[in-house]
Amino acid sequence: RSGVNCVIYRPGEEGELARIQRSVGMRFALEGPPSPEFIMSSRVADVTKDLHKVSWKTSAAFAEAAEALVAEMGDKALPCALAALAGYGKAPPVLHSMMTGRAGQVTLQCVLDGKVAKKVRDVSSFRGVMERAFPQAKMVFSRVMPVRGGYLVDLPVQQVALVLGADWDRERNAAFQDKRAVEARGEEAGPYGGAPLVDSEEIPGVSVCAPLVLPGLEAMMQG
């Protein structure tokens, strides 16, 4: 038999998934919620299919209006039409948490070196370290998950900009927030999906990034 098995699990069940991997001799590909780019491409694909189904007799009635739009908007006419048909006429893609799918949240990976990690005993002490490391952000975590070498956290978009600074490319994160998009662009995934690390100026050994892919299952088991 061949096919795709999807497993939906809750935090804390990573160990059980690892046991299943070992018993069946296979590895799970860890996927976060669908990225804005993936959702957009799916909607555009649906719109394209619908366009191919429109008969010429029907579309001929709109030919004059189409020519007027092209004359007025030039090369922008068709992309704007596709955006409107796909439901993106007014708003750009919205960032979502890679851990929960919650809109308006961005997942950051916080990397701690060995010296700092020894001082972090639990989530509470981790929060304290991050508040001192990036005081300008006044972080309010909506989700915290221990992983190998640090933590994954969810922050509101506004706070992420304060942590990562002017170098953070919000549009790039919105468009390339999953593994498929990274691979399609031929980028080096790396441990953080190719996202650059930003070092704390207050505490050496503390860095953050907005990862483009989730860590592997083994890293998610660290806690």
Side-chain angles (χ1 to χ4, degrees):
R1 286 185 181 181
S2 62
V4 177
N5 289 318
C6 297
V7 180
I8 300 175
Y9 66 97
R10 292 177 295 183
E13 295 180 338
E14 292 84 4
E16 185 62 30
L17 282 180
R19 284 190 285 273
I20 294 174
Q21 283 188 157
R22 290 193 295 269
S23 64
V24 300
M26 61 177 289
R27 294 179 65 84
F28 292 111
L30 214 59
E31 298 284 349
S35 70
E37 186 266 356
F38 181 75
I39 295 172
M40 179 186 291
S41 64
S42 297
R43 289 181 180 174
V44 172
D46 289 340
V47 169
T48 302
K49 289 179 182 178
D50 290 340
L51 289 175
H52 283 295
K53 295 176 183 177
V54 178
S55 69
W56 170 245
K57 289 184 179 180
T58 301
S59 62
F62 298 88
E64 186 176 339
E67 290 175 359
L69 275 177
V70 172
E72 178 185 350
M73 301 179 65
D75 293 341
K76 294 182 180 179
L78 183 56
C80 287
L82 285 174
L85 290 171
Y88 291 94
K90 295 182 179 179
V94 177
L95 288 172
H96 292 74
S97 161
M98 296 178 73
M99 291 192 285
T100 66
R102 187 176 175 183
Q105 299 282 316
V106 176
T107 299
L108 292 186
Q109 187 158 355
C110 305
V111 183
L112 311 177
D113 71 6
K115 185 176 179 181
V116 176
K118 288 180 181 179
K119 299 178 181 179
V120 177
R121 303 291 183 181
D122 50 28
V123 171
S124 178
S125 58
F126 166 72
R127 289 178 185 270
V129 167
M130 294 307 293
E131 287 172 359
R132 296 194 302 275
F134 300 95
Q136 72 278 14
K138 299 181 179 178
M139 294 184 180
V140 178
F141 302 123
S142 59
R143 178 77 185 274
V144 179
M145 177 186 293
V147 296
R148 186 171 299 160
Y151 287 78
L152 290 177
V153 301
D154 276 353
L155 286 178
V157 173
Q158 314 89 282
Q159 292 184 358
V160 172
L162 293 175
V163 174
L164 297 184
D167 291 335
W168 181 50
D169 191 336
R170 182 188 187 283
E171 296 302 323
R172 185 173 185 273
N173 243 88
F176 305 104
Q177 204 179 15
D178 71 17
K179 184 178 180 180
R180 286 159 296 197
V182 173
E183 292 175 346
R185 286 172 59 87
E187 295 182 356
E188 289 290 331
Y192 316 108
L197 284 172
V198 175
D199 298 326
S200 166
E201 295 181 357
E202 303 295 329
I203 302 180
V206 178
S207 305
V208 295
C209 69
L212 303 180
V213 295
L214 285 171
L217 179 60
E218 293 78 6
M220 301 285 274
M221 289 173 56
Q222 179 70 23

